[in-house]
Amino acid sequence: MWYVIEGYDGQDVLAQRQAARPAHLARLHALRDAGRLLLAGPCPAIDAEDPGPAGFSGSLIVAAFESLEQAQAWAEADPYVAAGVYRRVEVRPFRKVLP
């Protein structure tokens, strides 16, 4: 089943985000390579493609897992969690309808 994982950034965490990004992306690439990633990306903190020093307000990931518990465990092990980038993470089931 698909699950939405929303990570919400803390304040002034751009440097931590940048440092943890390679490890974060490696996990996303593993999901993609396994055919389990629908989409993933950051949410700019301002209305701009490149927010510069304003950074990001969080991230959105939609990926397939066998259960909500597995999705939550995967989310909790994210390098952004370990680095203190995310102040909270929410995981919910998702049903893709379109496209």
Side-chain angles (χ1 to χ4, degrees), residues 44-77:
I46 60 173
D47 189 13
E49 182 73 23
D50 179 358
F56 300 90
S57 62
S59 304
L60 176 75
I61 299 165
V62 180
F65 294 91
E66 298 218 4
S67 68
L68 178 60
E69 293 77 18
Q70 285 185 1
Q72 289 170 327
W74 187 91
E76 290 168 7

Side-chain angles (χ1 to χ4, degrees), residues 5-94:
I5 300 169
E6 290 182 275
Y8 297 87
D9 284 20
Q11 293 294 317
D12 300 317
V13 295
L14 185 57
Q16 293 98 308
R17 178 182 265 274
Q18 291 169 334
R21 189 169 188 261
H24 172 77
L25 289 178
R27 296 178 83 231
L28 293 173
H29 289 158
L31 286 177
R32 178 201 61 201
D33 294 348
R36 296 174 45 205
L37 183 65
L38 185 62
L39 65 88
C43 301
I46 60 173
D47 189 13
E49 182 73 23
D50 179 358
F56 300 90
S57 62
S59 304
L60 176 75
I61 299 165
V62 180
F65 294 91
E66 298 218 4
S67 68
L68 178 60
E69 293 77 18
Q70 285 185 1
Q72 289 170 327
W74 187 91
E76 290 168 7
D78 194 288
Y80 282 174
V81 172
V85 174
Y86 292 155
R87 62 181 163 83
R88 80 176 199 275
V89 177
E90 295 180 7
V91 181
R92 298 186 312 263
F94 177 76

